[in-house]
Amino acid sequence: QQKFPEGLQWRIMNPMVARGEPLQPSAADFLPMLWISDASAQWPAIVTNYLAAISDHLILDPELRSQTQKLVAKLDNSEEKISLLASYVQTNLTYKAIEFGKRARIPNKPDDIVRNKYGDCKDHAVLLQQMLIAAGVPAQLALVNHRGPIQKDQPSLDQFDHMVVYVPDDVGGRFLDCTSKGADVAHAIPVGLAGKDALVLDAINPHFVTIPQYPKDASSINDEQHIHLVAQTDMFVEESLTLSGVCAAYMRDYLMQIPESSRRTKLQNLMGMDDADVTDLKVDSLSVPAEPLRLEFTYSLRKQFRHSDDHLSGVLRAGFARIYLIASPAENRLSPFEITVPFAIEFREIIDAPAGLVAVQPENVDLKLDPRFANGEGRARLEGSGLRLEFKCRLGTGKFQASEYAAYRQTMSQALSFIEREVIFKPDMH
């Protein structure tokens, strides 16, 4: 910092090049930042003034109040009421994003929101909060920022880009975000907001509450392939996938935005398998966020196996599991990286032997996973004349330096190589 007669100057010499890199944290976490705010601003006054500005939008009309009370009339406790009303708002409103900001801070009125059947984050939050209050459940509006940390010592609404609902309780309360159409809103940590500070808009006692981090079991992927060889060269694959937690929420949100007629192609692109012929796709529980998301699909891969001397060999493909194990390259990485969602993946491949052939027992592979990023195990064993591969891996969360990215990529490569490995069949001599 330098002072001049006419003001102040902040200067940094040789700043790093800012560029997009995989798994990058928010810019405010690692780039030079200058934060400027009104020195006289105070959170209580800011919150009180904002609530006053929207006070006439925080009222349920008699008809909507009566409808809310009818919805919860047969429910005995707050937990059931929260689940039902969160699901009601989540499923009955379409999300139209308008970022919370200086020109977009005033929500619509609840009756207008219901009539429109769509709204932004403010509309979703206000409608849910008012319905919860009408049902006898204390609830408050809260502001958060997806993009980076909040400077608590510099009060300003300009720091926030999203609104959610806060329901206090004896163990710290919960946050509800009905704009996430693929998540179990009533029970899950809001997608993308784990660990963020939220400003609770309490007129008497505005305060910050930290949204909990994702637990270690926040997400799981269970993937099974049944592989048949056709004409001893092509692979016909029946793959079934079960996603739960955060991974399920992200995938639901993705699939909901794609017309059903385009989903097979989009998933094929997502798997990095443009050379496959996807012949069937079934999606189960897409509109039931409280349930695991299940996908079943079949596809063919041409000329994956070849004859050599007296044996048949080919390299297996990871299918959908590749999405979660691939690590994108970043040449001469400059920025730190962050893994925000922990997940466990369980993968099985069952390969049937062609007629007259038997599988050769693969050699054991030491996964050598870096414990900073993942731990896991895998085994391959003969099953009849065929082969069964089993792989389990758990990835944690953390913040890492740019210099550690090569080790992270190596760990992901090791995990993927156990699945995408060569298998050999030889003539059955029995």
Side-chain angles (χ1 to χ4, degrees), residues 16 19 23 25-26 39 45 49 58 62 130 191 207 236 281 289 298 329 338 348-349 353 366 423:
M16 68 175 290
R19 66 184 188 192
L23 301 178
S26 65
N49 290 339
L58 303 181
Q130 290 300 306
V191 174
H207 59 284
F236 177 74
L281 170 65
T298 58
E338 182 177 13
R348 290 176 298 280
E349 285 177 304
D366 183 2
V423 295

Side-chain angles (χ1 to χ4, degrees), residues 227 229 235 304-308 311-318 349 351 359-365 380-382 387-389 416-425:
I227 301 171
L229 297 189
M235 289 198 306
Q304 299 298 299
F305 278 73
R306 65 187 184 279
H307 285 280
S308 178
H311 64 269
L312 183 70
S313 64
V315 176
L316 303 176
R317 303 283 283 275
E349 285 177 304
I351 307 103
V360 176
Q361 173 67 48
E363 61 181 77
N364 292 325
V365 175
R381 58 186 173 87
L382 299 179
L387 187 65
R388 183 184 183 95
L389 273 70
L416 192 60
S417 67
F418 181 84
I419 299 172
E420 297 190 330
R421 64 191 300 180
E422 184 180 44
V423 295
I424 299 173
F425 295 93

Side-chain angles (χ1 to χ4, degrees), residues 39-317:
S40 65
Q42 299 292 327
W43 287 119
I46 288 175
V47 171
T48 300
N49 290 339
Y50 177 58
L51 289 175
I54 65 173
S55 60
D56 60 339
H57 293 246
L58 303 181
I59 301 172
L60 285 188
D61 68 3
E63 182 179 348
L64 188 51
R65 180 179 297 277
S66 176
Q67 179 184 349
T68 300
Q69 292 169 347
K70 287 180 181 178
L71 284 171
V72 301
K74 296 182 179 180
L75 303 182
D76 297 327
N77 55 61
S78 294
E79 183 65 36
E80 292 177 338
K81 294 176 182 179
I82 292 169
S83 295
L84 186 145
L85 294 177
S87 178
Y88 177 88
V89 174
Q90 181 188 33
T91 57
N92 283 277
L93 292 189
T94 300
Y95 178 43
K96 302 290 185 182
I98 302 175
E99 186 176 289
F100 185 89
K102 188 169 291 187
R103 292 177 178 81
R105 289 182 183 155
I106 306 299
N108 287 299
K109 294 181 179 179
D111 52 321
D112 291 334
I113 297 169
V114 171
R115 186 165 48 252
N116 292 338
K117 294 186 177 180
Y118 68 84
D120 65 0
C121 65
K122 302 182 300 296
D123 299 330
H124 281 71
V126 164
L127 179 59
L128 178 59
Q129 183 229 13
Q130 290 300 306
M131 292 182 78
L132 287 169
I133 291 173
V137 179
Q140 297 169 309
L141 301 175
L143 299 178
V144 292
N145 182 10
H146 280 103
R147 295 189 300 255
I150 298 298
Q151 308 300 315
K152 295 180 184 178
D153 59 345
Q154 294 184 281
S156 171
L157 290 183
D158 292 336
Q159 296 196 60
F160 303 101
D161 65 4
H162 196 56
M163 181 182 284
V164 295
V165 174
Y166 174 65
V167 179
D169 60 29
D170 295 336
V171 292
R174 77 178 81 179
F175 292 86
L176 311 174
D177 183 6
C178 291
T179 67
S180 179
K181 303 303 181 182
D184 183 5
V185 171
H187 305 103
I189 294 170
V191 174
L193 295 177
K196 302 289 187 182
D197 288 319
L199 175 63
V200 177
L201 301 180
D202 185 329
I204 298 175
N205 178 34
H207 59 284
F208 283 95
V209 176
T210 301
I211 299 173
Q213 295 285 358
Y214 292 125
K216 291 182 179 180
D217 60 352
S219 211
S220 67
I221 302 109
N222 192 306
D223 193 354
E224 180 168 307
Q225 292 183 5
H226 197 162
I227 301 171
H228 315 269
L229 297 189
V230 179
Q232 296 194 355
T233 58
D234 304 341
M235 289 198 306
F236 177 74
V237 184
E238 299 171 293
E239 186 162 358
S240 60
L241 183 78
T242 302
L243 304 172
S244 64
V246 184
C247 289
Y250 276 122
M251 187 56 63
R252 271 196 178 92
D253 280 337
Y254 176 75
L255 292 175
M256 285 177 176
Q257 298 175 45
I258 300 172
E260 187 175 354
S261 59
S262 302
R263 284 177 188 158
R264 282 196 297 179
T265 302
K266 292 293 185 181
L267 285 175
Q268 185 176 349
N269 293 339
L270 196 61
M271 291 189 293
M273 294 177 61
D274 291 343
D275 57 336
D277 296 321
V278 181
T279 52
D280 189 35
L281 170 65
K282 178 183 177 183
V283 181
D284 187 31
S285 303
L286 181 61
S287 59
V288 190
E291 296 290 329
L293 176 64
R294 297 180 178 88
L295 291 84
E296 295 181 1
F297 42 102
T298 58
Y299 53 92
S300 298
L301 290 157
R302 309 288 183 185
K303 302 194 181 302
Q304 299 298 299
F305 278 73
R306 65 187 184 279
H307 285 280
S308 178
D309 297 328
D310 64 343
H311 64 269
L312 183 70
S313 64
V315 176
L316 303 176
R317 303 283 283 275

